[in-house]
Amino acid sequence: MKIIPRLSYLTQLIQTVQTPDIKVITGVRRAGKSKLLESFIEYVTAHIQNANIIRINFNALETEPLAEYHALYHFIEEHFMVEKENFLFIDEVQMCRGFEKAINALHTSEKYRIYITGSNAFLLSSDLATLFTGRTFEIHVLPFSFNEFLAYFDDEQNDIYAAFDAFVRQGGMSGSYLYQQEKEKYTYITSVFETLIVRDIRQKYKIRNPGLLEKLANFLMDNISSEVSTRSLADTLTSYKEKTNDKSIGSYLQYLTNAYAFYKVRRYDIRGKKYLASQDKYYLCDHAFRYAKLGTKNLDFGRMYENIVAIELLRRGYEVYTGVLYKKEIDFVAIRHDEKVYIQVSDDITHKQTFERETAPLFQIKDAYPKMIIARTRHEPYQYEGVRIVDIADWLRADT
């Protein structure tokens, strides 16, 4: 498989190499966590002359004797080298019973720089402080961005608008790029998602009704960008003859977000400057999961573009909210440090009625923060009464 440098993640690892934190690489299944670890090992080998690399990959059969924390601890201690900078890399660490005990003991010794990856369901952001007594630094990996897609297919100097059309269909699950036919690509992507549901989430949470969990996931895919509540979801699934309630749905939603299958976006009252708790939106970690699972009969570009923008904003380090102002909705309020930007996302704004519908909520915002419409224009960016209009491919390509 072709490997491309994922510089934003690699930079985080390089910049924190001298910190004592346990580095934990998280993200949805098959997002590229192990490949990122390999890239960083190559960096360490090339740039740190006295490095001693201790690498354990629990996917490999030869590591099976280490799948218990005492054995893991003793193996690592045996490979420690005095007067060397000892780097410990463990892939799929959750496959070792009691792994946290070994990691905590090794970290307490202050002899190792520790880097671990693991299943998304077993290394949750919310669990890290409980699992590890030492401070952790999380590097959260998402599927390929549009820029990474371009780099993989060597399309950086070609027609990015045509490349974007391909990205919309193929998504960012790079393992699917090895397959030539779209059907084969979607078969791979479907298998990744089903493994996430059946193996990861079901195993972690002892799910008794995996069919309900899958139906909930499919409903969220089919209704990307729609505001939902646990009550409305429970009522909808009940109407499909599923026996459930809002408490169960709330738990299942949490499981899906814990596994990074979906990301929840809360509502934000722009005028009152407060968060609203009534309804939320859920966006897929990678939009191609929807096409793979539900088919391409309804391409629904508007919703898919909104999903792509939501995930890209998260990738760029923004806090992302849905804006509400005078009963009108702003697709995204994106906040990063002192920066704030209001964003509308649309498929086609060539029609006057659509253009006015997208700009109207932005014109009602009285503060001076930037306002933007991201759409499929295929033109250079331009300004309209203070609102920046930019093609979605160009916006993704900017990567800032």
Side-chain angles (χ1 to χ4, degrees):
M1 180 178 179
K2 182 178 179 180
I3 304 297
I4 66 165
R6 307 195 71 184
L7 295 180
S8 62
Y9 303 124
L10 192 58
T11 299
Q12 291 182 61
L13 290 169
I14 293 170
Q15 290 178 343
T16 58
V17 72
Q18 297 300 326
T19 65
D21 309 340
I22 301 169
K23 287 37 170 225
V24 185
I25 302 175
T26 63
V28 72
R29 174 175 287 278
R30 301 296 180 186
K33 301 185 291 292
S34 298
K35 296 300 182 184
L36 174 62
L37 200 64
E38 290 178 14
S39 295
F40 183 61
I41 291 172
E42 290 178 4
Y43 170 86
V44 171
T45 302
H47 293 86
I48 301 178
Q49 293 183 352
N50 68 333
N52 174 39
I53 306 294
I54 305 171
R55 172 77 189 277
I56 299 167
N57 182 356
F58 277 107
N59 281 321
L61 185 61
E62 60 264 27
T63 62
E64 188 173 337
L66 306 180
E68 190 275 333
Y69 74 94
H70 291 99
L72 176 64
Y73 176 84
H74 290 304
F75 175 87
I76 294 167
E77 285 283 81
E78 288 170 2
H79 287 79
F80 173 81
M81 296 182 68
V82 179
E83 298 182 357
K84 291 278 189 177
E85 197 163 351
N86 289 268
F87 284 81
L88 172 60
F89 300 96
I90 307 179
D91 211 359
E92 297 295 337
V93 70
Q94 83 286 345
M95 295 175 71
C96 172
R97 295 183 302 277
F99 67 87
E100 69 278 6
K101 297 176 183 178
I103 298 299
N104 286 331
L106 294 165
H107 183 258
T108 300
S109 73
E110 299 183 354
K111 299 189 301 184
Y112 302 91
R113 302 199 182 282
I114 302 174
Y115 299 80
I116 61 177
T117 77
S119 167
N120 42 291
F122 291 89
L123 280 182
L124 306 177
S125 300
S126 57
D127 290 346
L128 295 181
T130 304
L131 285 171
F132 303 118
T133 56
R135 176 179 168 83
T136 58
F137 180 82
E138 182 180 1
I139 297 94
H140 184 62
V141 177
L142 288 161
F144 271 24
S145 66
F146 179 50
N147 276 332
E148 289 168 330
F149 178 87
L150 290 174
Y152 186 94
F153 290 104
D154 299 319
D155 281 334
E156 293 182 278
Q157 303 303 320
N158 296 331
D159 183 354
I160 68 164
Y161 299 142
F164 176 73
D165 290 338
F167 177 69
V168 171
R169 298 290 293 246
Q170 295 188 46
M173 300 303 293
S174 58
S176 69
Y177 302 163
L178 296 173
Y179 300 93
Q180 298 300 312
Q181 301 300 318
E182 187 173 79
K183 182 179 179 181
E184 295 170 340
K185 293 175 184 290
Y186 287 163
T187 298
Y188 169 86
I189 294 170
T190 298
S191 71
V192 172
F193 196 85
E194 289 179 349
T195 301
L196 186 155
I197 295 289
V198 175
R199 176 174 160 182
D200 292 350
I201 298 179
R202 187 177 182 182
Q203 182 179 344
K204 167 78 173 180
Y205 300 105
K206 308 294 191 295
I207 300 292
R208 295 183 178 180
N209 189 353
L212 175 62
L213 180 67
E214 184 170 8
K215 287 181 181 178
L216 173 61
N218 288 346
F219 182 85
L220 292 175
M221 288 184 199
D222 201 28
N223 293 274
I224 288 171
S225 82
S226 295
E227 293 179 354
V228 295
S229 66
T230 54
R231 176 59 60 85
S232 67
L233 289 168
D235 289 345
T236 298
L237 290 170
T238 299
S239 71
Y240 296 160
K241 309 302 180 184
E242 288 290 338
K243 187 177 181 180
T244 188
N245 54 54
D246 53 346
K247 183 178 180 180
S248 295
I249 293 300
S251 296
Y252 282 15
L253 285 172
Q254 189 65 54
Y255 301 159
L256 289 167
T257 54
N258 282 350
Y260 310 116
F262 291 88
Y263 290 83
K264 181 170 78 170
V265 171
R266 298 168 60 193
R267 299 170 77 219
Y268 179 77
D269 183 339
I270 295 173
R271 185 166 180 263
K273 297 182 179 180
K274 61 183 179 181
Y275 304 112
L276 303 173
S278 56
Q279 291 183 313
D280 302 305
K281 291 185 176 184
Y282 290 85
Y283 293 96
L284 268 168
C285 65
D286 188 76
H287 57 280
F289 279 125
R290 171 175 165 163
Y291 287 157
K293 288 283 290 175
L294 305 184
T296 57
K297 184 177 181 179
N298 179 12
L299 293 172
D300 204 356
F301 288 124
R303 290 180 186 267
M304 298 300 271
Y305 293 171
E306 190 172 326
N307 197 107
I308 290 170
V309 171
I311 298 302
E312 183 63 24
L313 288 168
L314 292 172
R315 191 193 319 277
R316 297 180 185 185
Y318 286 95
E319 298 174 45
V320 182
Y321 305 93
T322 295
V324 179
L325 180 65
Y326 302 117
K327 297 184 178 181
K328 291 185 179 292
E329 181 182 291
I330 310 295
D331 288 335
F332 298 118
V333 181
I335 301 171
R336 185 174 61 186
H337 308 303
D338 295 332
E339 177 187 359
K340 182 189 292 185
V341 58
Y342 301 104
I343 299 172
Q344 294 281 69
V345 182
S346 182
D347 173 15
D348 182 4
I349 56 172
T350 56
H351 299 290
K352 180 180 179 181
Q353 184 178 2
T354 304
F355 186 77
E356 290 176 347
R357 184 186 69 233
E358 298 294 345
T359 54
L362 295 173
F363 290 154
Q364 292 189 14
I365 301 172
K366 302 305 179 184
D367 64 42
Y369 289 108
K371 304 168 184 64
M372 178 187 302
I373 294 178
I374 300 173
R376 199 73 177 99
T377 68
R378 297 177 182 265
H379 297 297
E380 292 292 318
Y382 64 96
Q383 295 279 338
Y384 177 80
E385 296 188 15
V387 176
R388 185 167 184 255
I389 316 295
V390 61
D391 181 86
I392 186 170
D394 291 326
W395 180 78
L396 292 168
R397 191 72 182 91
D399 196 18
T400 58

